[in-house]
Amino acid sequence: MSMGIPPKFQKVPSMRVRVEDTLSAHRNELVSLLSRYVEQGKSILQPHHLLDELENIIGDDEAKKSLSDGPFSEVLKSAQEAIVVPPFVAIAVRPSPGVWEYVRVNVHELSVEELTVSEYLRFKEGLVDGQSDDPYLLELDLEPFNASFPRPSRSSYIGNGVQFLNRHLSSIMFRNKESLDPLLDFLRVHRHKGHVLMLNDRIQSISRLESALAKAEDYVSKIPQDTPYSEFEYALQGMGFERGWGDTAAHVSENMHVLSDILQAPDASTLETFLSRIPMVFDVVILSVHGYFGQANVLGMPDSGGQIVYILDQVRALETEMILRIKMQGLDITPRILIVTRLIPDAGPTSCNQRLERISGCEYSHILRVPFRTNHGVLRKWISRFDVWPYLEKFTEDAASEIAAELKGIPDLIIGNYSDGNLVASLLSHKMGVTECTIAHALEKTKYPDSDIYWKKYDEKYHFSCQFTADLLAMNHSDFIIASTYQEIAGTKNTVGQYESHTAFTLPGLYRVVHGVDVFDPKFNVVSPGADETIYFSYTEKGKRLASLHESLEKLLFDPEQNDEHIGILKDPAKPIIFSMARLDRVKNITGLVEMYSKNDNLRKLANLVVVAGYNDVKKSNDREEIAEIEKMHALIKQYNLDGQLRWISAQTNRARNGELYRYVADKRGIFVQPAFYEAFGLTVVEAMGCGLPSFATCHGGPLEIIEDGISGFHIDPYHPDKAATLMADFFQKCNEDPTYWVNISEGSLRRICERYTWKIYSKRLMALAGVYGFWKHVSKLERLETRRYLEMFYILKLRDLVKSVPLAAEDPSA
């Protein structure tokens, strides 16, 4: 029997080689294609432009097909942009998430060259009129600082940094007994406000720790397992152990056993378990600077939306988790959480002019407001999030003093939110030496195409030069970063992630980012938020249902009166409801949902459509984009004669009633639809699924990860509306034939949320991350001192200078 020849591993050809091979094999077709690009003059071509031109090249069909199937087609399919500066075409190619190559073709000479990141960005700057080719433009390059730092190489590890970091650093720590000394040092210096925790001076070595653990475990095993710690505290103290091991004999025994396992047969997962149980986080500061941050009358105010809901829900869950942990650790310590935001003296109907406000549903969590100050005094009015930059440095100094006064010390963890909050978090963390976590929520660079290369066009209104610089500083200064989805970090096979877009870019005339953010950095972790379970719970939980609201909900849905709150009539209330709720803007695509419904006669027969979005009167809106969408809605209603099948309800801010509205739609065996062209996370999808409402949501963004297609809901592509409408019609048809089908998807939705998207899971994960990163920061070079000194210089020499160009807000002299 002959042995099979083992496969020969071949090096994957570079992008330059692929282009050269195609030039050899399909010279005419490729020249035709590249010439079509060059004919467009100086420009940035997006992926769809590049592929569309393939259809238009000159040549016979067979030649076209061979070019389409050949190596150059692979280059185009993974291309994210092409820069045309005749006679050159430079292409940025992304073979996989986080991996980039750059190639440039001279169409006249048919020569091909690979470019470095710096060369590509310098070439791209040629698009900007009047941009001089400065050979000494500042380049930001963080790669040399990270060269020796552990990083995974597989895209699948992106967003699970803590697991990789633990495995890598544990393998170093567990080489021999002596290498465990940092763990002992960490436990020995562990204290809270002067009080020693975990170990005292009786234990000075690993061998002493091992023998003391054996003795303590033996002692604890012989007493009733529900014995409170206070009853055997002095016995353990004499052996070298202080408070923090547990509140009962059972918990103390369990935690000591875990540490014994680490010392005897160490592994990464056991270490992570132990670190997540150590008492480390008692005082947390959360930064959310811009907008009106309050608990009432703020949603709908400028710059005041989902981020506020996220943080308030986060804090309630976090406090509950901290109280539970501290109790189980056997400690008598009161946790504190401070949300630090801006105090606005002219606060209108909100409480944003109060210095300290307790958060409802919490015992130990408060909003601490600090005003924006200048040499002229306190800024009294609201200002846009794009205009806050000149105030942040002084705000940081004032906030540091206020935090120290409230906490009577420094916090154990600082969490930043959005660009301004993340910058302040970095400055505070740097000043206090505290573990820092950042949460982007939204990175503006990805919202505004080409806002980097053409930054000067945007800067007067948005000051993106300041914002992008602040984002880079915070991302690189932070100890760990939380993202809601993998896509937020590294996109998909075909789309670039929000963080990934900060890997390399240029602000012509200002600086080039050659290596800004590395999405493979183990500081990145996906920790998805949930929906408030007291508001968004299953329609089947009859005892918790808000039945008193049903009359008002029926009026909201079916009252024939046409007014500012609702227009349109549902002639057949017995039909199930297709329900959607979102802002009325182009990206959320509510008008697209109305249009896809309108064009599918079968769907219109099977179900009514109810949308909650914006205003129904253009006179009430000041937003140009919303006004255009309002006008489009009215035009669609008229064009497709939707009266009788569509109900348009203006935006609803009562969360309790919205929760019951989801459940009411579920009672009627309806569905929820989220048709956005792009959705960063998809909180409304989580809310609807948490109420047991089968959901059909965009495949572009977070919902792609939230929903398991066909099991806990369905993916739809808003760019293929006909298919989406057919999918919904088929669902209703199937439910009519088999009512258990609706129940199966509903139960799948509830199961998915319960397993992956709750604030309880989120808070446990966040506390575990804080413990693990805090530990490794203490015992290894995770401090990244070299990087931080580099960032400090960048902040002082670049960002502070840019901030001077942002004008201070002019106060109304009559105020």
Side-chain angles (χ1 to χ4, degrees):
M1 189 176 76
S2 63
M3 294 288 287
I5 300 169
K8 187 176 177 184
F9 290 102
Q10 294 181 324
K11 188 181 176 186
V12 176
S14 70
M15 294 301 162
R16 179 178 65 81
V17 170
R18 292 185 199 188
V19 177
E20 286 176 338
D21 288 351
T22 308
L23 269 172
S24 301
H26 308 288
R27 192 179 199 81
N28 290 337
E29 291 77 24
L30 187 55
V31 169
S32 171
L33 176 63
L34 294 170
S35 297
R36 294 187 76 86
Y37 296 156
V38 170
E39 282 166 15
Q40 300 187 40
K42 272 189 183 184
S43 57
I44 301 176
L45 301 180
Q46 298 304 324
H48 60 278
H49 294 137
L50 297 172
L51 292 169
D52 287 351
E53 290 297 350
L54 257 179
E55 297 300 310
N56 303 321
I57 59 171
I58 298 161
D60 59 63
D61 289 342
E62 195 164 320
K64 271 191 201 180
K65 187 176 186 313
S66 59
L67 182 60
S68 296
D69 295 341
F72 190 67
S73 171
E74 291 305 307
V75 173
L76 287 187
K77 282 173 185 168
S78 53
Q80 292 303 319
E81 66 175 19
I83 307 302
V84 180
V85 179
F88 295 99
V89 178
I91 305 173
V93 185
R94 179 179 173 267
S96 62
V99 178
W100 292 79
E101 293 181 47
Y102 305 92
V103 63
R104 180 170 64 185
V105 183
N106 183 326
V107 180
H108 291 175
E109 297 177 7
L110 299 183
S111 60
V112 186
E113 59 185 323
E114 277 186 56
L115 299 179
T116 63
V117 181
S118 182
E119 288 167 340
Y120 177 79
L121 294 174
R122 192 167 173 178
F123 177 73
K124 187 175 181 177
E125 287 159 9
L127 292 173
V128 180
D129 293 332
Q131 182 58 42
S132 62
D133 187 11
D134 182 357
Y136 297 105
L137 186 69
L138 174 65
E139 290 193 344
L140 186 71
D141 185 357
L142 288 147
E143 181 67 15
F145 299 104
N146 298 324
S148 60
F149 199 78
R151 276 176 294 182
S153 55
R154 296 207 320 262
S155 297
S156 59
Y157 257 118
I158 294 172
N160 198 7
V162 73
Q163 188 184 45
F164 171 82
L165 187 69
N166 239 0
R167 284 180 181 172
H168 180 86
L169 295 179
S170 299
S171 66
I172 298 168
M173 178 181 269
F174 299 148
R175 280 177 187 159
N176 53 50
K177 279 282 195 291
E178 288 72 41
S179 59
L180 284 167
D181 284 342
L183 176 59
L184 174 66
D185 294 340
F186 181 71
L187 293 173
R188 287 187 66 240
V189 301
H190 218 56
R191 60 191 63 231
H192 175 68
K193 295 184 178 172
H195 297 290
V196 177
L197 303 174
M198 305 303 288
L199 300 181
N200 59 40
D201 288 341
R202 290 174 184 271
I203 297 175
Q204 299 277 353
S205 66
I206 288 290
S207 59
R208 182 78 183 87
L209 175 60
E210 284 182 310
S211 60
L213 277 170
K215 190 176 173 185
E217 282 189 83
D218 181 58
Y219 175 85
V220 174
S221 69
K222 291 173 181 173
I223 61 177
Q225 293 298 283
D226 59 352
T227 305
Y229 182 82
S230 57
E231 292 186 17
F232 57 92
E233 177 177 0
Y234 294 112
L236 287 191
Q237 205 169 41
M239 299 177 203
F241 299 100
E242 296 291 335
R243 282 181 172 267
W245 292 93
D247 59 334
T248 63
H251 286 141
V252 170
S253 181
E254 187 183 343
N255 290 327
M256 285 185 167
H257 188 70
V258 172
L259 181 56
S260 292
D261 281 350
I262 291 169
L263 299 178
Q264 296 300 320
D267 72 81
S269 62
T270 310
L271 180 66
E272 185 172 345
T273 300
F274 181 67
L275 292 176
S276 69
R277 293 178 182 179
I278 290 179
M280 288 176 64
V281 179
F282 307 104
D283 297 316
V284 178
V285 166
I286 297 174
L287 276 303
S288 181
V289 180
H290 67 265
Y292 291 85
F293 197 106
Q295 300 179 80
N297 305 321
V298 296
L299 297 181
M301 299 284 275
D303 289 340
S304 308
Q307 183 172 314
I308 293 171
V309 175
Y310 177 108
I311 293 170
L312 289 173
D313 285 349
Q314 173 198 47
V315 166
R316 291 184 186 106
L318 206 51
E319 184 187 277
T320 301
E321 180 65 20
M322 287 169 73
I323 291 169
L324 181 66
R325 280 172 181 252
I326 290 168
K327 180 187 174 298
M328 289 183 69
Q329 288 155 355
L331 298 172
D332 184 20
I333 294 172
T334 302
R336 289 291 306 275
I337 302 177
L338 294 177
I339 300 173
V340 180
T341 187
R342 186 193 158 204
L343 185 144
I344 306 172
D346 298 343
T350 76
S351 58
C352 295
N353 54 1
Q354 292 178 23
R355 176 184 172 274
L356 199 65
E357 180 184 347
R358 191 167 71 83
I359 295 169
S360 64
C362 292
E363 288 184 72
Y364 312 115
S365 301
H366 295 79
I367 300 168
L368 174 64
R369 298 189 180 91
V370 179
F372 280 174
R373 294 180 195 273
T374 66
N375 295 334
H376 307 295
V378 170
L379 182 65
R380 298 193 59 81
K381 63 179 185 178
W382 167 87
I383 57 170
S384 163
R385 69 185 188 277
F386 298 118
D387 299 328
V388 300
W389 305 106
Y391 302 95
L392 295 184
E393 201 170 277
K394 183 74 174 99
F395 176 85
T396 302
E397 292 172 21
D398 293 345
S401 302
E402 295 277 358
I403 290 164
E406 278 299 316
L407 299 180
K408 297 181 175 55
I410 62 170
D412 305 299
L413 175 66
I414 294 175
I415 303 172
N417 292 275
Y418 190 69
S419 304
D420 50 2
N422 284 329
L423 179 65
V424 174
S426 294
L427 295 172
L428 284 172
S429 165
H430 193 70
K431 181 185 178 83
M432 297 174 172
V434 173
T435 302
E436 175 194 0
C437 164
T438 59
I439 305 173
H441 294 282
L443 291 163
E444 300 292 347
K445 185 174 170 300
T446 54
K447 283 191 190 174
Y448 295 82
D450 306 325
S451 53
D452 46 9
I453 184 76
Y454 297 119
W455 67 273
K456 288 179 181 175
K457 184 174 81 176
Y458 293 92
D459 222 46
E460 187 179 351
K461 183 176 181 184
Y462 295 113
H463 310 298
F464 282 154
S465 60
C466 290
Q467 186 154 9
F468 298 168
T469 307
D471 284 334
L472 278 171
L473 282 162
M475 289 173 198
N476 283 288
H477 189 277
S478 181
D479 293 297
F480 65 102
I481 295 172
I482 283 179
S484 295
T485 63
Y486 176 96
Q487 293 174 71
E488 188 181 335
I489 304 168
T492 64
K493 186 175 182 294
N494 300 314
T495 61
V496 180
Q498 289 189 53
Y499 280 100
E500 188 184 4
S501 73
H502 294 73
T503 302
F505 65 93
T506 180
L507 302 176
L510 209 53
Y511 60 85
R512 282 182 208 114
V513 179
V514 177
H515 289 105
V517 175
D518 182 0
V519 296
F520 288 95
D521 194 307
K523 69 171 59 179
F524 283 103
N525 291 277
V526 175
V527 186
S528 301
D532 187 336
E533 292 165 66
T534 63
I535 293 173
Y536 306 103
F537 52 86
S538 173
Y539 75 99
T540 60
E541 295 188 49
K542 301 298 182 187
K544 291 170 68 176
R545 295 285 299 269
L546 307 177
S548 60
L549 294 176
H550 285 195
E551 190 178 334
S552 72
L553 287 177
E554 284 172 4
K555 193 174 180 186
L556 188 71
L557 291 166
F558 304 118
D559 188 343
E561 184 185 340
Q562 308 291 288
N563 54 35
D564 288 346
E565 191 176 24
H566 45 72
I567 61 172
I569 296 169
L570 302 179
K571 286 181 180 169
D572 185 355
K575 285 200 293 191
I577 290 170
I578 300 167
F579 179 57
S580 191
M581 179 158 51
R583 287 195 314 274
L584 194 56
D585 62 27
R586 194 193 67 79
V587 174
K588 293 296 185 185
N589 194 35
I590 292 292
T591 53
L593 171 61
V594 172
E595 191 161 12
M596 69 174 81
Y597 172 81
S598 305
K599 290 179 175 179
N600 190 304
D601 290 338
N602 194 26
L603 187 58
R604 289 175 70 166
K605 284 175 195 161
L606 289 163
N608 292 317
L609 177 61
V610 174
V611 296
V612 175
Y615 300 106
N616 58 42
D617 183 355
V618 289
K619 297 190 192 76
K620 293 209 160 194
S621 177
N622 297 317
D623 186 291
R624 284 197 301 272
E625 193 174 302
E626 185 179 50
I627 288 167
E629 292 295 298
I630 293 169
E631 289 171 343
K632 188 176 178 182
M633 282 282 280
H634 284 290
L636 288 168
I637 291 167
K638 192 173 179 182
Q639 179 184 351
Y640 291 102
N641 192 25
L642 290 172
D643 199 31
Q645 295 174 310
L646 167 73
R647 181 73 152 187
W648 177 10
I649 300 167
S650 60
Q652 302 290 305
T653 56
N654 183 329
R655 293 175 78 208
R657 191 164 82 150
N658 287 346
E660 195 58 33
L661 181 52
Y662 284 125
R663 288 185 288 274
Y664 188 91
V665 174
D667 289 338
K668 298 188 78 65
R669 293 302 186 258
I671 62 172
F672 178 76
V673 183
Q674 214 284 19
F677 288 116
Y678 180 78
E679 183 62 47
F681 177 58
L683 192 55
T684 54
V685 177
V686 172
E687 290 170 356
M689 289 171 69
C691 294
L693 189 54
S695 297
F696 291 67
T698 180
C699 60
H700 300 289
L704 185 67
E705 295 175 37
I706 297 170
I707 290 173
E708 306 154 292
D709 192 43
I711 299 168
S712 54
F714 301 90
H715 297 144
I716 57 171
D717 188 345
Y719 294 99
H720 294 98
D722 294 347
K723 284 183 183 173
T726 302
L727 184 68
M728 288 182 248
D730 290 348
F731 174 79
F732 284 118
Q733 195 68 53
K734 203 165 180 178
C735 292
N736 286 344
E737 294 161 8
D738 177 12
T740 62
Y741 185 60
W742 187 97
V743 174
N744 289 340
I745 299 296
S746 171
E747 288 175 351
S749 303
L750 291 164
R751 197 163 44 246
R752 179 70 170 168
I753 297 304
C754 188
E755 288 169 359
R756 294 285 295 274
Y757 298 97
T758 71
W759 281 112
K760 187 174 183 180
I761 296 170
Y762 176 101
S763 57
K764 285 172 90 73
R765 186 76 175 136
L766 177 56
M767 292 296 286
L769 291 175
V772 173
Y773 282 96
F775 170 72
W776 287 120
K777 181 178 179 176
H778 179 84
V779 304
S780 73
K781 281 191 70 180
L782 279 200
E783 194 73 59
R784 307 192 195 201
L785 288 173
E786 302 93 335
T787 307
R788 291 186 171 188
R789 292 298 283 171
Y790 185 66
L791 294 172
E792 192 179 337
M793 185 166 61
F794 191 57
Y795 172 78
I796 292 166
L797 297 179
K798 187 54 72 175
L799 182 56
R800 290 184 95 210
D801 216 36
L802 288 170
V803 165
K804 289 173 187 171
S805 68
V806 181
L808 293 170
E811 293 278 24
D812 182 355
S814 64

